[in-house]
Amino acid sequence: MKRHFDHFCGIDPSWTGKRPTAVSVLDRQFRLVDFVYSKDIERIVQLLRNYENTVIGVDAPLVIRNETGHRPNEKEFLKHFARFGLSLYPVNRRRYPFFFPEKLYEALKTIGYSFQKGNIFEVYPHATILVLFNDMRVFHYKKLRSKGKLAKLEYLRKKIETFIEIPDDFNVPQDSIKSYEDFLDSLVCALTVGLASERPFLTFGNEDVGILLVLKP
């Protein structure tokens, strides 16, 4: 991964395509400069056309070649991070004959993003949160009920804002807890690839099976 990108993009995609995908863009100073929340792949692609020399972190598998079980890069990741209590949901062709992030990746390749070019990576927000914000412990917030989940998300936002500047006039998407969670997850994805441009990181997998990038503990 090169170290001189001008923008850092984080994408928290819907796995089915039935819900919106959250896309955040940061500048080199880690200021939030753009955001879109849409089901429309073309709208996402158009957003990225506006930002040259960008690296993207996506919270999802982008290549699925295995019929069952975990993908090879997921297995590599678990060898390093399972001891911290982190797990990964197995993604395979049998479970997901259609997988929206794969379709999104194919669209992004048409405008120059690929594992081969080193400007797009799979990332895992739980790993980033564990390393940066929670003393190498898993931060549980995904499966909580509304009131408890909102409190956890507010805590997470405060941690994120120690790195990322969210403009005062930015309309934070809070029409639902899900949209707020997706927004914050997209910020963590962008922060992951942004920090990887200046500090040590690990990668799992390869250009053929997908490259998962994780900040080094």
Side-chain angles (χ1 to χ4, degrees):
M1 178 179 178
K2 66 181 183 180
R3 304 281 173 145
H4 54 275
F5 291 103
D6 295 325
H7 292 91
F8 311 114
C9 174
I11 301 180
D12 182 40
S14 165
W15 284 18
T16 64
K18 295 178 181 179
R19 291 189 57 85
T21 286
V23 186
S24 292
V25 180
L26 312 179
D27 65 14
R28 282 204 62 83
Q29 287 71 46
F30 287 12
R31 291 179 297 220
L32 178 62
V33 295
D34 217 334
F35 177 77
V36 68
Y37 194 51
S38 177
K39 299 179 185 179
D40 184 357
I41 283 183
E42 182 50 40
R43 187 175 178 195
I44 296 168
V45 170
Q46 185 57 48
L47 175 75
L48 270 300
R49 285 195 181 103
N50 296 329
Y51 298 98
E52 296 182 358
N53 195 30
T54 297
V55 59
I56 302 174
V58 185
D59 178 19
L62 299 178
V63 176
I64 305 174
R65 303 193 189 282
N66 53 311
E67 286 296 319
T68 60
H70 283 283
R71 298 178 306 140
N73 58 355
E74 294 167 355
K75 292 177 181 178
E76 290 179 32
F77 169 86
L78 290 171
K79 288 179 182 178
H80 286 76
F81 280 87
R83 62 193 173 100
F84 300 114
L86 272 178
S87 59
L88 280 171
Y89 190 76
V91 176
N92 52 64
R93 186 56 58 206
R94 183 173 295 177
R95 284 179 180 268
Y96 297 99
F98 171 81
F99 196 64
F100 179 79
E102 279 191 301
K103 186 176 180 182
L104 176 60
Y105 180 48
E106 291 302 314
L108 291 172
K109 285 197 288 188
T110 66
I111 59 169
Y113 292 96
S114 68
F115 293 124
Q116 288 77 10
K117 292 184 177 180
N119 58 5
I120 189 168
F121 297 91
E122 298 173 8
V123 297
Y124 189 31
H126 271 302
T128 301
I129 293 168
L130 176 140
V131 170
L132 290 181
F133 304 142
N134 212 43
D135 298 323
M136 298 307 296
R137 291 174 292 130
V138 178
F139 182 68
H140 297 284
Y141 65 102
K142 292 288 186 180
K143 296 182 180 180
L144 297 177
R145 293 185 180 274
S146 296
K147 187 176 180 180
K149 187 168 191 174
L150 184 58
K152 288 272 192 174
L153 292 176
E154 287 295 335
Y155 171 85
L156 179 58
R157 177 177 173 173
K158 289 177 181 177
K159 291 293 187 179
I160 290 170
E161 288 182 320
T162 62
F163 288 92
I164 293 174
E165 178 184 339
I166 300 175
D168 292 337
D169 60 352
F170 178 77
N171 184 24
V172 174
Q174 284 183 289
D175 54 307
S176 70
I177 290 180
K178 177 60 177 170
S179 64
Y180 189 37
E181 177 187 341
D182 292 347
F183 166 64
L184 294 179
D185 283 347
S186 72
L187 290 181
V188 175
C189 292
L191 181 61
T192 303
V193 290
L195 289 177
S197 70
E198 60 187 40
R199 63 170 66 185
F201 61 89
L202 302 170
T203 58
F204 305 98
N206 57 47
E207 296 170 357
D208 293 327
V209 301
I211 301 175
L212 173 61
L213 182 149
V214 181
L215 297 178
K216 191 172 183 178

